[in-house]
Amino acid sequence: MEITLLCIFFLTGIISWLLWKNYCLKRDIYDFTQKLDQSLNQLLNNEQLSKTIDQKDDLWGMVSERLNRISHLYARKNQEISEEKENLKELVSDISHQTKTPLANIKLYLELLLEAKDGTSPQESLEKINSQVEKLDFLLQSMVKLSRLETGTIKIQKSEVPIADTLAEAIGGAIPKADQKHISIQVSYDENLRLHHDKKWTAEAIFNLLDNAVKYTEEAGKIHISVKKETIFTKISISDTGKGIPLERHGTIFTRFYREPEIHDNEGIGIGLYLARKIISMQNGYIKVDSEVGKGSSFHIYLPNKME
């Protein structure tokens, strides 16, 4: 009899324990599905999940941790998309602003050419139209270079080549304008120096700095280019005897389409320095500027010596 009662109590205990475990399992499943449904709804509504500080080491803890990673990934991607849209909006606005003046000038000169009532010779009007067309062409070429660099269409391809070859390519493009203003370009460097870099795009960056130096240097001025290999970087300096840049503008001269107010009507679109910094930064280098009003400017390119 006692054994029978003992067995009944034992079985009753087991059944109660099983019922309790079943209840707990149902409760956990219900809580899990409710939390999962809530988290998925937040993700679908583009809401960022908040990470639980006292997260338990259980099934929900593992799932929650992964959902939080997905949430942060989506948030970062959405931010990047938003920034890209804003950049595209600014780019379209900049292009519209830059093309407005030459297009208006072309239209004006065409009207003068057709009417020919103000004494303007057809040849003069055609020369002015050609000048504006060249400006538009230069703008579009610059924008193509910029977009191809920023979108990754063009990849930086480094190889160890003599820095003399890169300098020669850059200087060759700047000499015609320098000669027109009787500006001398002096160069000092080690002919045996080799550097691991992208020759084509680095020459483009150096040319942009040289072109900028020629533009801001008065007649019969001087430009000096020097190359020095330091411990970590190779330093390429372009110094001029131009008008100099006020200290408060040092941080803005590398922005896209920025131009110095004093020469706003002169040739140029204000994209050279922006492109130069972009090209050098893509090679894990940087550009530094030293300048003082009335005493000229020095732009220093730093490219890493170590192969990456």
Side-chain angles (χ1 to χ4, degrees), residues 17-277:
W17 181 79
L18 290 173
L19 289 172
W20 170 252
K21 290 295 291 181
N22 184 58
Y23 167 78
C24 291
L25 181 60
K26 286 183 178 180
R27 184 192 61 190
D28 291 343
I29 292 174
Y30 175 78
D31 289 343
F32 179 85
T33 54
Q34 189 178 36
K35 291 177 180 177
L36 181 60
D37 181 66
Q38 182 180 359
S39 297
L40 291 175
N41 283 332
Q42 285 182 276
L43 289 175
L44 290 172
N45 292 328
N46 206 22
E47 299 175 6
Q48 188 169 348
L49 301 182
S50 56
K51 190 172 183 179
T52 307
I53 299 177
D54 56 343
Q55 203 170 49
K56 297 180 180 179
D57 187 16
D58 54 11
L59 178 61
W60 171 247
M62 291 187 292
V63 173
S64 176
E65 191 271 336
R66 284 166 174 76
L67 287 174
N68 272 284
R69 287 165 61 183
I70 293 173
S71 174
H72 288 299
L73 179 64
Y74 281 159
R76 188 166 67 250
K77 289 295 182 183
N78 286 336
Q79 184 179 358
E80 290 176 359
I81 292 172
S82 178
E83 290 175 354
E84 287 177 1
K85 286 182 178 179
E86 189 63 30
N87 289 336
L88 180 60
K89 182 179 177 182
E90 291 179 2
L91 182 59
V92 171
S93 176
D94 288 337
I95 293 174
S96 175
H97 176 74
Q98 291 293 326
T99 57
K100 186 182 298 182
T101 300
L103 286 174
N105 288 338
I106 290 173
K107 184 178 179 181
L108 173 63
Y109 296 137
L110 282 173
E111 290 176 353
L112 293 174
L113 188 61
L114 291 171
E115 295 177 1
K117 293 179 180 178
D118 65 341
T120 304
S121 67
Q123 182 64 31
E124 184 180 351
S125 294
L126 288 173
E127 288 175 356
K128 289 180 178 179
I129 289 173
N130 183 62
S131 174
Q132 296 302 313
V133 170
E134 288 180 351
K135 183 175 181 180
L136 278 174
D137 181 58
F138 178 74
L139 169 65
L140 293 175
Q141 287 186 33
S142 298
M143 294 308 301
V144 168
K145 290 177 186 177
L146 178 61
S147 64
R148 292 172 73 186
L149 281 170
E150 290 186 334
T151 58
T153 306
I154 293 179
K155 300 293 184 182
I156 294 295
Q157 298 179 350
K158 296 182 181 182
S159 60
E160 189 172 329
V161 295
I163 194 65
D165 295 349
T166 307
L167 292 175
E169 187 172 331
I171 296 170
I175 284 178
K177 288 184 179 180
D179 287 345
Q180 289 178 5
K181 298 178 69 174
H182 306 288
I183 295 173
S184 64
I185 300 179
Q186 301 172 343
V187 188
S188 59
Y189 63 96
D190 180 359
E191 294 182 0
N192 298 317
L193 177 61
R194 300 175 68 88
L195 181 64
H196 191 67
H197 68 293
D198 187 303
K199 175 188 171 184
K200 175 185 175 182
W201 286 106
T202 303
E204 174 81 18
I206 297 172
F207 165 76
N208 287 342
L209 296 179
L210 278 172
D211 187 62
N212 193 71
V214 171
K215 189 182 304 176
Y216 288 94
T217 300
E218 298 296 331
E219 293 273 346
K222 295 180 180 179
I223 296 175
H224 183 255
I225 304 170
S226 64
V227 182
K228 181 182 179 182
K229 186 172 183 178
E230 300 180 344
T231 306
I232 301 176
F233 294 93
T234 290
K235 177 183 176 183
I236 305 171
S237 300
I238 297 98
S239 303
D240 61 61
T241 57
K243 70 182 191 64
I245 307 167
L247 181 61
E248 62 271 15
R249 295 181 191 166
H250 287 191
T252 58
I253 58 175
F254 291 100
T255 56
R256 187 169 52 202
F257 296 119
Y258 174 82
R259 301 198 65 209
E260 289 284 272
E262 295 84 356
I263 56 106
H264 200 270
D265 294 330
N266 291 13
E267 180 185 357
I269 59 173
I271 202 173
L273 294 182
Y274 179 84
L275 270 173
R277 187 175 67 171

